[in-house]
Amino acid sequence: MIHVIALIAAKPGQRDTVLEAFRANVAAVRAEEGCIEYGAAVDAEGLEGFQTRFGPDTFVVIEKWASVDALKAHAAAPHMAAYAAKTRPLIASRVIHVLSPT
């Protein structure tokens, strides 16, 4: 299994627009062979002093894939290319961490 943590920072004020496009793509991603988990998360509220916040423009994508090949196929999927083209102008930065469980 492969875990992916993607940190997506939208340009100021654009997170909701990027998340809308993300949510529209979720069903296609979850239907991909080898997708175990795929979803977005934002800072939880009410935990001040306990957490380090990503901030109002950032969201985290949490993914699990059955294999490296499944992740590679996901990255090359046409719906991912369409999502990237739609959101690229709205994104300030993107950092992707691919992890192996221990």
Side-chain angles (χ1 to χ4, degrees), residues 4-10 15-16 18-20 22-23 26 30 37-45 47 51-63 83 95:
V4 179
I5 304 295
L7 308 174
I8 312 296
R15 184 176 77 178
D16 288 344
V18 177
L19 278 170
E20 182 178 322
F22 177 89
R23 288 184 194 109
V26 166
R30 288 183 179 164
E37 180 179 346
Y38 187 81
V42 297
D43 291 319
E45 297 299 325
L47 297 170
Q51 69 172 330
T52 302
R53 298 177 67 83
F54 285 106
D57 297 316
T58 300
F59 66 98
V60 179
V61 181
I62 302 161
E63 309 175 36
Y83 166 76
V95 177

Side-chain angles (χ1 to χ4, degrees), residues 5 11 17 22 24 27 30 32 35 44 46 51 77 98:
I5 304 295
K11 291 182 179 175
T17 303
F22 177 89
R30 288 183 179 164
E32 291 177 42
C35 180
Q51 69 172 330
V98 180

Side-chain angles (χ1 to χ4, degrees), residues 1-4 28-38 63-74:
M1 183 181 338
I2 296 295
H3 299 262
V4 179
V29 174
R30 288 183 179 164
E32 291 177 42
E33 186 172 337
C35 180
I36 297 168
E37 180 179 346
Y38 187 81
E63 309 175 36
K64 288 184 185 176
W65 294 92
S67 67
V68 170
D69 288 339
L71 176 59
K72 288 179 179 179
H74 162 69

